[in-house]
Amino acid sequence: MKVSIIGTTGYGGVELLRILHQHPTFKIQSIHSTKAEIPIWEEYPHLYHLLDKKLEPIDSEQIANQSDIVFLATPSGISGQLASKFVNKNIKVIDLSGDLRLPAKEYKAWYKHEPVHESLKSQAVYGLSEWNRKTIKNSSLIANPGCYPTASLLGLGPVVKADLIDPASIVIDAKSGVSGAGKSLSRNTSLSEANENFRVYKVNEHQHTPEIEQQLLEWNRDIQPITFTTHLLPITRGIMTTTYVQLKEEQKTSQLLELYKEIYHQHPFVRIRPENTFPSIKEVAGSNYCDIGLHADGRTGRLTIIAVIDNLMKGAAGQAVQNANIMSGLEEITGLDFVPMYP
């Protein structure tokens, strides 16, 4: 199957190249950017003699005629406009931005861009692979989840859906490496500011907040607004979410681990850690895994959920390819069965 990538010069786009270069079924047909007519290795020298393709202009008609799937690795505010050009064409679209995830009112309030037309938004399926597999399989337009929501939701899903927690008690303490901010230059992500530092940002204002709440409400209509706080780690890639929730009734950690194992046993990219062991970011780096650890505190009645992912893999390009596999009738792990990089 032939695939095209728009927005290849960003971190999400180049991670798609890394995955698709060795995918046994998908062939990279074309790569596109506003920086057209230069070899991709000039932008990313690590691809020298590995991928000789040139960046091409963005021509939706040409892409739709030559490819089966197009990945939109472009910024919010641009992806939605591009996605609209592929509607009613014989091509599947996977958007890695936030443009298709939220209703118009919420999108405008949190992203500060003009929303896409509701007719386009209504066609998009939220691509949280482990929970929406059936609808993803039958869709031709995917809103790939954000990085923070992926870790947060995979960690919360089982207890929220089973109605085991106080619906007003969710507190998510989230931390990300600097690649989550993309390639654009900023003071906070510069070496002198980020190195040997730990910074909170977008306090109670992060645009992924309504995305998390929206999916939680799909699982349990009693869920109340969450507290979601994001921090910048002095590392290149990776996300850890530490989530605190109040249990409705006393539960042992072992009981909750059995629930998580039962729910995720058919999902190869979610690994539930044994009792009293907890994941770290480095243990999933470069892979499509989400590792989850739990601890129920009998003293406070609270459950602590630790989830880690690679923000560029399971949090972006890896999950996008996982969704492409599902849409194409392939095994989810096809082209994604990387052993994490360690150390």
Side-chain angles (χ1 to χ4, degrees):
M1 298 181 68
K2 298 176 181 178
V3 301
S4 294
I5 305 168
I6 302 178
T8 324
T9 58
Y11 290 148
V14 77
E15 193 75 338
L16 282 168
L17 284 178
R18 182 174 77 92
I19 300 168
L20 295 169
H21 178 67
Q22 54 81 58
H23 196 286
T25 303
F26 298 144
K27 174 191 173 184
I28 301 172
Q29 177 68 19
S30 60
I31 57 177
H32 304 265
S33 172
T34 52
K35 297 181 180 180
E37 305 303 335
I38 65 169
I40 185 61
W41 67 261
E42 288 191 11
E43 186 73 18
Y44 287 108
H46 71 287
L47 297 175
Y48 187 61
H49 276 325
L50 293 176
L51 191 66
D52 294 328
K53 287 187 175 296
K54 282 189 174 183
L55 293 164
E56 300 179 24
I58 302 167
D59 184 331
S60 58
E61 290 289 340
Q62 179 186 352
I63 294 168
N65 287 335
Q66 68 186 13
S67 291
D68 302 292
I69 301 172
V70 60
F71 294 92
L72 305 181
T74 41
S76 293
I78 295 174
S79 279
Q81 300 172 31
L82 291 171
S84 66
K85 296 180 180 180
F86 292 103
V87 174
N88 300 322
K89 292 183 171 67
N90 188 30
I91 189 170
K92 299 180 188 297
V93 180
I94 300 176
D95 176 26
L96 279 69
S97 84
D99 283 3
L100 303 178
R101 299 175 195 158
L102 297 174
K105 184 177 180 181
E106 284 81 2
Y107 176 84
K108 191 169 185 177
W110 290 86
Y111 279 84
K112 315 301 182 187
H113 298 306
E114 284 301 313
V116 300
H117 195 277
E118 185 57 34
S119 62
L120 179 64
K121 166 64 181 71
S122 64
Q123 295 179 48
V125 167
Y126 189 57
L128 190 62
S129 307
E130 284 71 22
W131 287 90
N132 294 339
R133 181 190 284 167
K134 290 183 180 179
T135 50
I136 292 167
K137 185 174 182 179
N138 297 317
S139 177
S140 59
L141 180 61
I142 299 295
N144 213 58
C147 49
Y148 282 128
T150 295
S152 301
L153 292 168
L154 290 175
L156 277 165
V159 287
V160 169
K161 198 163 178 63
D163 197 21
L164 297 180
I165 65 170
D166 177 347
S169 70
I170 297 173
V171 177
I172 303 172
D173 179 37
K175 306 164 187 73
S176 175
V178 294
S179 63
K183 282 179 65 178
S184 299
L185 299 177
S186 72
R187 175 176 173 175
N188 287 350
T189 58
S190 67
L191 178 65
S192 57
E193 293 282 345
N195 186 45
E196 298 184 12
N197 199 3
F198 187 40
R199 184 190 301 274
V200 69
Y201 70 102
K202 293 186 178 179
V203 178
N204 296 324
E205 294 180 347
H206 199 283
Q207 68 271 19
H208 286 170
T209 305
E211 180 182 340
I212 297 170
E213 292 177 342
Q214 178 176 258
Q215 183 60 51
L216 292 174
L217 286 166
E218 287 287 323
W219 291 329
N220 186 329
R221 300 309 299 177
D222 293 328
I223 291 295
Q224 302 298 306
I226 65 173
T227 296
F228 177 59
T229 308
T230 54
H231 307 77
L232 188 66
L233 289 170
I235 61 175
T236 301
R237 56 165 80 203
I239 279 179
M240 175 180 283
T241 58
T242 305
T243 301
Y244 307 97
V245 292
Q246 195 74 32
L247 292 164
K248 287 185 174 181
E249 298 177 359
E250 184 176 353
Q251 300 269 355
K252 292 183 178 179
T253 301
S254 58
Q255 292 175 290
L256 293 166
L257 284 170
E258 285 305 312
L259 170 67
Y260 275 68
K261 289 175 183 176
E262 180 182 351
I263 286 175
Y264 286 126
H265 80 281
Q266 291 185 327
H267 300 286
F269 290 120
V270 179
R271 303 189 296 187
I272 308 302
R273 292 297 183 90
E275 189 169 359
N276 294 322
T277 64
F278 302 96
S280 70
I281 286 173
K282 190 176 281 289
E283 293 157 3
V284 297
S287 80
N288 202 49
Y289 290 109
C290 174
D291 285 10
I292 298 173
L294 307 174
H295 187 268
D297 186 351
R299 188 176 65 87
T300 62
R302 281 191 286 270
L303 171 66
T304 302
I305 307 165
I306 296 93
V308 296
I309 62 171
D310 183 320
N311 58 294
L312 294 176
M313 283 292 295
K314 187 59 174 167
Q319 186 158 224
V321 174
Q322 185 179 356
N323 285 328
N325 287 339
I326 295 170
M327 296 166 81
S328 304
L330 304 174
E331 291 291 327
E332 284 180 60
I333 65 170
T334 306
L336 287 167
D337 52 346
F338 304 128
V339 174
M341 299 182 297
Y342 200 94

